[in-house]
Amino acid sequence: MDWEPLIEAAWKVREMAHAPYSKFHVGAALRVEGEVFTGCNVENLSYGLTNCAERVAMGTAVAAGKRKLEAVAVVADTAVPISPCGACRQVLAEFAGEGDPLVCLANRTEQVVFRLSELLPRASAGILDLPERS
């Protein structure tokens, strides 16, 4: 897969992040039903109300009527590529359908790629009493 368009879009939207407290800017770009949707983190003084870049991007896709997640890129200026938090992993899994999207984590010098199921195994098993996805 050619990750450059998603990674480039994620870096671009990262510049729009609202992170006055942590100073930690994150960008995410998702391919959903063939279209690219982006999001950046939006902090709040009450940290529990902060929205992560991945959830902002997925919400934008849903608002546009798109729901089938195909690929994810997450970027930040960190020593090693960052990984989505548990809440973001679960939200992404909600829109993975029967698929197992690729997730690219990138910083300025490195990229690593995982399947979403590697980051969140058994996302639906037990919680909703659904059969485990293969």
Side-chain angles (χ1 to χ4, degrees):
M1 175 172 170
D2 179 13
W3 286 104
E4 286 312 308
L6 281 181
I7 291 171
E8 185 177 310
W11 281 116
K12 185 175 180 181
V13 74
R14 178 188 166 274
E15 298 303 318
M16 303 306 293
H18 176 73
Y21 309 106
S22 71
K23 311 291 189 233
F24 186 66
H25 296 79
V26 179
L30 315 179
R31 191 174 68 222
V32 184
E33 297 181 31
E35 294 184 38
V36 175
F37 295 90
T38 60
C40 58
N41 55 316
V42 181
E43 288 184 352
N44 189 280
L45 181 59
S46 175
Y47 275 126
L49 301 179
T50 292
N51 290 301
C52 297
E54 303 91 326
R55 285 183 277 159
V56 170
M58 194 68 237
T60 302
V62 170
K66 306 294 183 179
R67 287 175 167 70
K68 187 174 190 274
L69 179 64
E70 298 165 352
V72 179
V74 182
V75 303
D77 271 324
T78 50
V80 297
I82 62 164
S83 188
C85 73
C88 287
R89 293 174 192 202
Q90 188 64 51
V91 168
L92 295 172
E94 177 77 16
F95 296 98
E98 295 301 316
D100 193 5
L102 291 170
V103 180
C104 180
L105 313 174
N107 62 13
R108 297 285 182 184
T109 60
E110 182 182 4
Q111 299 172 11
V112 291
V113 177
F114 296 91
R115 290 274 175 196
L116 182 57
S117 64
E118 293 177 280
L119 297 176
L120 186 64
R122 299 176 50 89
S124 63
I127 297 171
L128 303 174
D129 199 26
L130 298 174
E132 188 172 346
R133 294 183 197 155
S134 55

